[in-house]
Amino acid sequence: MSYRRGLSRLFLVVLAIGLAAAVSREPQTKEHGAQVEPSLSVRDGLAINGYDPVAYFSDYAAIRGEEALSVEFDGARILFAAPENRDRFLQDPDKYLPQFGGFSTFGMARGKLYSADPEVFDIIDGRLYLSRNEKVRELWQRNPSGYIDLAENNWRDLRAR
């Protein structure tokens, strides 16, 4: 293998690792390696990629919110599709926020912080769960209570670090 080809392959491997880390949203670290407590999956300052958390419950649909109807919560902006949704959220945020900070439920069951697609969701026992994609959603739906238990344990452990 030529020197140039070797460098090209090395560059591609480094690029792939960097992209995988950015997509997976692994926890950030503080100085000396201590974990930062994850709370909400945030992209471009928006929680749930700008989707209205209340609409999942009121309309059983993933509906994008509007900038004019935003609130700051836990270091992120949360957008709403209607003023009444914003008001409902402010009365009881925990009722509407996605479980595991909006990270993928199946990923959390495996101990990983993977981003989720806000359009791929389930509401089980009055709680919102997001999935990475439809295929992953199908996997965790084979044993939702088991995966939710695993995810809850991993989330609790991750937040306790």
Side-chain angles (χ1 to χ4, degrees), residues 16-62:
I17 290 169
L19 287 173
V23 169
S24 70
R25 297 281 318 228
E26 292 297 327
Q28 299 171 340
T29 57
K30 295 180 184 174
E31 289 180 351
H32 312 297
Q35 298 272 330
V36 172
E37 178 181 306
S39 54
L40 280 174
S41 175
V42 177
R43 182 176 290 156
D44 297 327
L46 296 175
I48 322 170
N49 290 34
Y51 283 77
D52 180 338
V54 177
Y56 290 104
F57 296 90
S58 61
D59 300 318
Y60 200 75

Side-chain angles (χ1 to χ4, degrees), residues 9-133:
R9 284 190 180 172
L10 177 62
F11 174 77
L12 290 175
V13 168
V14 170
L15 180 63
I17 290 169
L19 287 173
V23 169
S24 70
R25 297 281 318 228
E26 292 297 327
Q28 299 171 340
T29 57
K30 295 180 184 174
E31 289 180 351
H32 312 297
Q35 298 272 330
V36 172
E37 178 181 306
S39 54
L40 280 174
S41 175
V42 177
R43 182 176 290 156
D44 297 327
L46 296 175
I48 322 170
N49 290 34
Y51 283 77
D52 180 338
V54 177
Y56 290 104
F57 296 90
S58 61
D59 300 318
Y60 200 75
I63 300 173
R64 289 200 59 85
E66 299 178 21
E67 286 284 342
L69 298 173
S70 69
V71 297
E72 288 289 322
F73 183 85
D74 202 13
R77 280 189 348 272
I78 300 178
L79 306 184
F80 300 91
E84 35 306 333
N85 287 5
R86 180 189 56 210
D87 296 344
R88 277 194 215 151
F89 176 84
L90 290 172
Q91 290 175 6
D92 191 0
D94 290 335
K95 177 178 180 178
Y96 298 106
L97 287 172
Q99 300 304 296
F100 318 118
F103 293 98
S104 168
T105 301
F106 186 73
M108 184 52 55
R110 299 186 71 208
K112 304 289 183 182
L113 287 177
Y114 291 127
S115 60
D117 180 343
E119 293 188 7
V120 184
F121 70 96
D122 290 287
I123 295 178
I124 299 173
D125 295 330
R127 298 169 82 187
L128 175 61
Y129 299 93
L130 301 178
S131 292
R132 190 169 177 89
N133 56 46

